[in-house]
Amino acid sequence: MKINENFLNLKDSYLFATVGKKTTAYKTAHPDRDVIRLSIGDVTLPLAPVVIDAMHRAVDEMSRKETFKGYGPDQYCYGYESLLTSIKDSYRRKGVSLESSEIFISDGAKSDCGNILDIFSADNTVLVPDPVYPVYVDTNIMAGRRIIFADANEQNGFLPMPDKKVKADIIYICSPNNPTGAAYSKAQLKEWVDYALANKAVILYDAAYEYFVDDDSLARSIYQIEGAKECAIELCSYSKTAGFTGVRCGYTVVPQALLRGGVSLNKLWARRQSTKFNGVSYVTQMGAAAVFTEEGERQIKENLAYYRRNAHMISDCLNELGIWYTGGKNSPYIWMKCPNGYDSWAFFDYLLEEANVVGTPGSGFGANGEGFFRLTAFGSEENTREACRRIKNLLINRN
Ligand code: PLP
């Protein structure tokens, strides 16, 4: 018996554990201080009432013999028609037309980010941006793939563009981005699509934060870009869009037009899913189906507006301080340059000790994150306002 030795190449993930440990140690030493966490990557507002009503109705259906549901319909890998229809409608509103057979319901984007790699050879070279959502790197290390990095930095606004000299087979793009909050314009994404088509590569496009986009020049789906259906798979999630982080539901789009070596990737993914996955619960799918109804969209937009106001508060604070940052506009994340030459962890300690505010050190997301710091808009309005007041006080007085 041999283990998968690729796992031994994974780096321990210290980032959030160390943030938690340092925060707890500070709170224990200073129980009188009110520490505010602007490091939260999880949503904090409850599910929208339409979602709750739909889930209650689905539970009631499960309680009666006549309406009880077992395994989901296997025609579309256990996705219910009402959910697939609402997803197709939401894409239509973005100018994209999809077929039910192109949409695969999942328990969230994180699982599919890892699972989708089953359909690709371990020989492929993978291109990921640095800094990056760590799942893209770790899932490829587990499979023993060669990883190369695209430098995201202050010069390119943390939006690296394709380099024709670099040959990659699988390309990760996350827009709006976690951790940097930066979002590609449609024109920039067109360059990535052209690069992928020229290299016969496949883009794995993570659209987990697409609902935060409120600027028409930015893409909400890679399929808004001509040619993308021939080179891209899109991973989406109800987590940040509709507060489903604890409910668990997402979807992956694999277009019928996406072929490599004459083989349909849609067929490979359907085969993979029907072999290794038995679908998402009926109650969850009915809750998700309510999200993209007219009333559902109205209600989730209220929650998004709340997070957006927090993001604007943080951006305004950094604008006043003259601190460089990305995000905050079409994203719940604000990626700031550490002031006064602090490195990421030194700034973390400084902010915790002097302002009692917790953020996430950028260096934890990759080498290019050193000297940067991530703040998030998922906290409460009161805490965000108070944290901004403290940050301003600290940095105006000490600069
Ligand atoms: N992709 C990105 C970029 C994320 O930041 C997250 C969650 O934080 C996910 C995917 C995972 O989302 P889900 O909750 O659907 O698994």
Side-chain angles (χ1 to χ4, degrees):
M1 198 298 287
K2 283 188 185 162
I3 60 161
N4 177 352
E5 291 194 354
N6 293 321
F7 276 65
L8 306 180
N9 297 326
L10 292 166
K11 288 206 195 98
D12 280 334
S13 148
Y14 294 117
L15 179 63
F16 292 102
T18 312
V19 167
K21 241 188 257 163
K22 280 181 176 250
T23 308
T24 307
Y26 184 83
K27 279 166 114 174
T28 310
H30 306 277
D32 54 317
R33 306 266 168 87
D34 165 35
V35 174
I36 297 178
R37 289 171 55 218
L38 287 193
S39 53
I40 308 169
D42 199 351
V43 292
T44 50
L45 296 174
L47 294 170
V50 276
V51 171
I52 296 292
D53 289 346
M55 291 177 92
H56 278 161
R57 278 198 303 277
V59 168
D60 289 342
E61 284 180 60
M62 291 302 239
S63 73
R64 289 190 297 272
K65 191 168 187 300
E66 307 72 49
T67 47
F68 168 78
K69 304 279 187 301
Y71 291 121
D74 53 14
Q75 187 183 8
Y76 298 123
C77 285
Y78 318 111
Y80 283 90
E81 194 59 53
S82 60
L83 176 55
L84 298 170
T85 300
S86 76
I87 293 171
K88 283 189 289 184
D89 287 347
S90 91
Y91 270 95
R92 198 168 299 122
R93 293 193 284 274
K94 294 176 229 172
V96 175
S97 121
L98 292 179
E99 291 169 27
S100 295
S101 64
E102 297 178 305
I103 303 166
F104 296 83
I105 307 303
S106 73
D107 64 345
K110 188 181 197 174
S111 324
D112 275 6
C113 269
N115 294 339
I116 194 79
L117 296 172
D118 275 7
I119 67 171
F120 299 111
S121 158
D123 296 337
N124 287 308
T125 296
V126 180
L127 180 66
V128 293
D130 171 11
V132 70
Y133 177 53
V135 174
Y136 310 154
V137 174
D138 288 353
T139 49
N140 280 291
I141 290 177
M142 287 173 186
R145 278 191 197 87
R146 178 170 169 257
I147 300 173
I148 50 177
F149 290 94
D151 278 327
N153 49 38
E154 193 177 345
Q155 287 69 45
N156 58 29
F158 284 90
L159 292 169
M161 296 306 294
D163 177 348
K164 289 203 176 80
K165 297 188 290 297
V166 172
K167 167 86 182 80
D169 304 303
I170 299 172
I171 300 156
Y172 282 87
I173 297 178
C174 175
S175 181
N177 189 272
N178 177 16
T180 70
Y184 281 107
S185 70
K186 289 176 183 163
Q188 287 172 314
L189 278 182
K190 176 78 175 107
E191 287 191 41
W192 277 110
V193 165
D194 289 345
Y195 169 86
L197 290 171
N199 282 286
K200 301 196 167 36
V202 171
I203 294 173
L204 298 180
Y205 188 80
D206 187 337
Y209 298 94
E210 60 94 8
Y211 232 80
F212 283 87
V213 171
D214 62 359
D215 173 343
D216 281 346
S217 70
L218 306 180
R220 289 191 49 200
S221 161
I222 185 103
Y223 304 120
Q224 291 175 316
I225 312 302
E226 200 192 327
K229 283 192 176 173
E230 284 87 57
C231 68
I233 289 172
E234 183 157 292
L235 302 136
C236 285
S237 170
Y238 286 96
S239 283
K240 309 297 159 91
T241 300
F244 271 52
T245 50
V247 178
R248 311 301 308 143
C249 195
Y251 47 97
T252 291
V253 178
V254 188
Q256 294 288 1
L258 181 52
L259 310 176
R260 284 297 174 270
V263 176
S264 155
L265 297 197
N266 179 288
K267 277 221 175 77
L268 293 189
W269 181 240
R271 187 73 172 86
R272 190 270 174 211
Q273 287 301 76
S274 59
T275 303
K276 293 196 185 180
F277 187 57
N278 255 342
V280 173
S281 82
Y282 177 68
V283 176
T284 297
Q285 291 201 44
M286 291 307 104
V291 168
F292 294 136
T293 57
E294 206 174 306
E295 178 57 15
E297 291 218 12
R298 196 192 60 72
Q299 292 182 8
I300 59 166
K301 277 180 183 161
E302 279 177 24
N303 286 6
L304 288 167
Y306 182 92
Y307 296 136
R308 276 204 186 106
R309 279 196 299 275
N310 287 347
H312 290 163
M313 240 191 280
I314 300 170
S315 311
D316 287 347
C317 163
L318 298 180
N319 287 339
E320 265 184 63
L321 290 165
I323 292 176
W324 190 91
Y325 64 93
T326 52
K329 255 200 201 127
N330 296 285
S331 161
Y333 297 117
I334 295 95
W335 178 253
M336 64 179 281
K337 190 171 178 176
C338 299
N340 304 334
Y342 276 110
D343 70 35
S344 300
W345 276 110
F347 187 63
F348 174 90
D349 291 335
Y350 179 61
L351 211 56
L352 174 60
E353 283 158 24
E354 302 297 325
N356 304 155
V357 172
V358 178
T360 311
S363 54
F365 297 100
N368 284 352
E370 183 55 276
F372 289 85
F373 201 71
R374 192 190 76 172
L375 300 173
T376 83
F378 288 123
S380 73
E381 191 176 335
E382 305 74 49
N383 279 350
T384 307
R385 184 173 298 108
E386 172 60 14
C388 289
R389 191 191 64 75
R390 292 185 199 170
I391 292 172
K392 252 188 275 179
N393 261 353
L394 177 68
L395 296 178
I396 286 174
N397 293 338
R398 305 284 168 93
N399 276 343

